[in-house]
Structures are given as structure tokens and as C-alpha cells.
Amino acid sequence: MRKFRRTLAAVTAAVLLVLTGGCGPATPESFTLTLATFGQFGYDDLIPGYEFTHPGLTIRQVRTEQGGPYHQDLLAKLQSGQGLADVQAVEEGHLADVLAQSAKFADLAEVGPPDVKPGRWLEWKYEAGRSKDGKLVGYGTDIGPLALCYRKDLLDAAGLPTDPGSVKTMFATWDSYFKAGERYVKRSKGKAWFDSAAQNFNAMVNQLPVGYLDRQDRPTLATNTALEAAWNQVTTAVEQGQSAGLTAFADDGNAGLRNGTFATKVCPSWMLGAIEQEAGTANAGKWAITDAFPDGGGNWGGSYLTVPAASPHQREAAALAAWLTAPEQQLHAFRASGNFPSQVDAFTSPDLLSEMNGYFGGALSGQVFVAQARKVGKPQYKGPGDGKIQETVVAPALKAVEQGADPAAVWQQVKLGVSQVVP
């Protein structure tokens, strides 16, 4: 998810930030805390500042480039009970598997600094880091509030509006969005409205009160009428020719961005950098974004910092995690790596609100995503295996529909596949 990078601030600036911000308890003894992360969290030049204000403390960051191998390793270490870091980052797509093993993690509400209160985060971000028994397993880092990106030139060529106000109306609900897509396909003589059915369906599912699993970790597909309605809606759009049938982040999806194969795309905050990187300079200024997303808001992406119960320095590790997720440090991480803050106080920062994206026509992207983040409702419960259902059952099923399979028959196969993932 961390597809683009920004210039890192100098270490001196990080030290000044530490001195003006809060810090955890200084300890006289010399010891080391290990911090395990993946991708780019924007912490590299923050760590020396924290060490500077904590004599005797050494922080060793162990960073894995790819999130998939990182989480496979984390789950293996949780099973064996060996090799865990003092602070372990967890991406939201794998959070359900971690929350299901909450006994193996410290309760941050107990071992964390007493001044860290729930109101520090957006409510939905905080609540998603709690296990079913109420334990606070993770401090929230970044988020991925959802908007829709669109190609102004392609909409204009098809006679659809491109000004922000009209686009917000067009994108107000999934119904209005897909109706606009139907018009676009007809007027553009068969060009695709969006890139991938799986991308849209994933966002639609995450907006529902109940997803693939209930709070007892039982599959809901047999009775979840809202889930089936979303399936019918997106597969109908596929049959109308609205999907380009591409795979996001794969070669064909990237080529689709370069070639203008589709007109709209589900856009969490971090997607802007991915589009700029893959669509290239030839498409600068053609893409736009507005503070709208069908049926309200949604989130795709973001992580948490956890403290395994096996850590011999739980309170010190929790203090470090609390500091790294404080508003000042989240804003620094945003400038360093583009990770959008989840802290309420960060949303009033002039730096964030004035953030402008030239590639997207000078859009005030900071304001767009602050507005979108505030629209996200109560977090949907996600049980163990939720991410596996999306990746290994639903996404391939939607690809089959895009290749001509009957949606009703494939839906029955999805039900069977989910029951095999979660017996």
C-alpha cells in the first residue's frame, strides 16, 4: 500500500520534534527494543530522536519490504512463541488473525501511557484495534479513507460532467455510480467504467454492517441479503461491460492506468501515489479526485502497532508505540512516506489541510481525505480468515464472472468456497 515516497526530513528536525512532543519514561538501564515493520512507515528518522531523549535505550527496527511475507512470518512466530519483536506492526487485512490470538498480546489500555485516551484516534480506527473481549491490542497508525478517482478527459469525451459538484452527485450512491457507468459504456462505445470488479466489491462489502463472518466467526453468505445484493449489483455492471477485467497492481492493471483503459477507480489515500507512479507523466492532470464515495465513506488500508505479551519490556514498548502513533509523529510519517494520519488532532494541521496534489490537477488531497475519513462509520467485525476469503475465494470468483461465467452459479461456488475456508 505504500507505493510512493516523499523526501525524508533531516534527523535534526526529528530530534526537535521529539523535544517538543511527548515522550515515554526514561529508564536508567541499557536495553534494546525491537520494532518490526513492513514497507515504509516513515519511522527511520524518528527513531534517533526517541533514542536521544531516552539514554540507554537502543531501538532496532527490523523492516520487511513486502507485507505478505512479513505477516506469514508473524503468524508463524505467534504459533511457536519465539522470535517476536517488542513492537510488531500489523496491517488491517491481517488484524483479524491477530485479534483472534489476543491472549498473546499485551493490553495497551493497561501497559500503555495513562495519557493515551481513545479520543486520540478516530473512533472507528480505535475500535477496530480491540479484540472481542475488549482488550486494546493495537495503537492505530495510518488509514486509507476512500474516495473515487476519475479521468476528466474520458468523462468529458463521453458527455459526462467533470466538475466536482456534479461528480459528487454522480458518485453519491452505488446505484448512481453504476447508472453513470452504464451511460459511459454506451456513449464511449464500449469503454470500461472501472478497472476491476474485485476492487469495487471489496469496498462495497467493507461498508456493510456485517461482512463475510458474524461475531461468532460463522459465514453469513446464506443469510446476508445485503452481501448478495452487492454481488448482484457489481456483477450486473460487469455484464453491462463496465469492468475492464483487470487485476490491480498487476501488469495488466498498470498498463490500464497508462493507456486510459478505464475511467474511474476506487481510491484510498495511498492510491494517489500508485496512480501517479504507474500512469506516468503523460497522464498528469488528466486524473481528478473529489470528496465523494458511494453510500458514504469507507476505509481500505492502514496498520496498527502491537506489543506481544512475550516482550520483557512491555511498558517501554507500549510507550514507544504510543509516541510513534501520536499526532506529531503521524504527520511526520505522512510527510516522509504518504501514510495518512488516523489521529483526530492531526486533521486540523495546516500542513495536512494545505496538501496539494499537482498530478491530480492541484486537488487539495489533504482536505479530501480528512473529509472522507470523518465519514467512516462503525468498523465492521472481521473474523479469522476474512482476508483469505477475499483474496482466495471472492476475487477469483469475480474474475471468472468478468471472463463470462454466470454470476448466480459463481455465487453458489463462493458460498462453498467460504465454507471451506471457515468450516
Side-chain angles (χ1 to χ4, degrees), residues 4 8 30 56 58 90 104 118 140 188 197 209 259 262 283 298 301-302 331 344 361 364 367 391 395 397 400:
F4 68 110
L8 295 178
S30 295
T58 299
V90 179
K104 298 181 180 180
S188 65
N259 300 330
F262 52 90
N283 290 307
L331 285 167
V344 174
L364 291 171
Q367 292 185 23
E391 293 171 8

Side-chain angles (χ1 to χ4, degrees), residues 335-395:
R335 291 190 293 269
S337 60
N339 298 336
F340 203 81
S342 62
Q343 297 275 354
V344 174
D345 286 350
F347 286 2
T348 59
S349 164
D351 286 346
L352 185 61
L353 295 175
S354 64
E355 176 72 15
M356 186 178 70
N357 193 303
Y359 192 87
F360 284 77
L364 291 171
S365 54
Q367 292 185 23
V368 167
F369 288 111
V370 165
Q372 291 308 101
R374 294 189 185 279
K375 295 177 185 177
V376 182
K378 184 178 180 181
Q380 181 190 96
Y381 172 74
K382 293 185 179 295
D386 189 279
K388 189 175 182 181
I389 290 170
Q390 177 63 32
E391 293 171 8
T392 66
V393 179
V394 175

Side-chain angles (χ1 to χ4, degrees), residues 2 57 102 118 159 259 266 274:
R2 297 170 173 86
L57 171 64
S102 61
N259 300 330
V266 170

Side-chain angles (χ1 to χ4, degrees), residues 22-190:
C23 61
T27 52
E29 72 276 12
S30 295
F31 66 99
T32 297
L33 290 177
T34 52
L35 167 66
T37 62
F38 54 93
Q40 287 289 343
F41 274 66
Y43 293 163
D44 291 1
D45 57 341
L46 287 173
I47 288 173
Y50 194 84
E51 292 175 325
F52 180 80
T53 59
H54 292 72
L57 171 64
T58 299
I59 299 170
R60 183 170 65 90
Q61 183 177 196
V62 181
R63 189 172 68 214
T64 304
E65 189 62 29
Q66 299 296 325
Y70 170 89
H71 288 92
Q72 291 174 10
D73 182 66
L74 170 60
L75 294 176
K77 287 175 177 176
L78 284 172
Q79 185 173 6
S80 69
Q82 302 292 322
L84 291 162
D86 295 289
V87 178
Q88 290 273 173
V90 179
E91 200 270 333
E92 64 142 17
H94 299 271
L95 185 61
D97 295 312
V98 166
L99 294 178
Q101 304 181 65
S102 61
K104 298 181 180 180
F105 292 87
D107 187 345
L108 296 175
E110 294 183 359
V111 304
D115 60 337
V116 176
K117 304 296 184 183
R120 186 190 222 197
W121 289 271
L122 290 163
E123 183 179 4
W124 59 265
K125 179 68 174 180
Y126 175 83
E127 290 296 327
R130 298 174 65 192
S131 60
K132 284 197 289 188
D133 58 3
K135 177 185 284 188
L136 182 60
V137 174
Y139 284 146
T141 60
D142 58 314
I143 55 176
L146 288 170
L148 273 169
C149 295
Y150 61 98
R151 281 280 297 262
K152 293 182 294 185
D153 58 330
L154 298 182
L155 266 64
D156 185 62
L160 294 181
T162 60
D163 63 283
S166 297
V167 169
K168 287 178 71 170
T169 300
M170 190 165 59
F171 293 166
T173 66
W174 285 110
D175 185 57
S176 65
Y177 170 77
F178 287 124
K179 284 183 177 178
E182 188 176 6
R183 293 195 302 273
Y184 177 80
V185 171
K186 290 178 180 178
R187 295 180 182 182
S188 65
K189 299 181 179 179

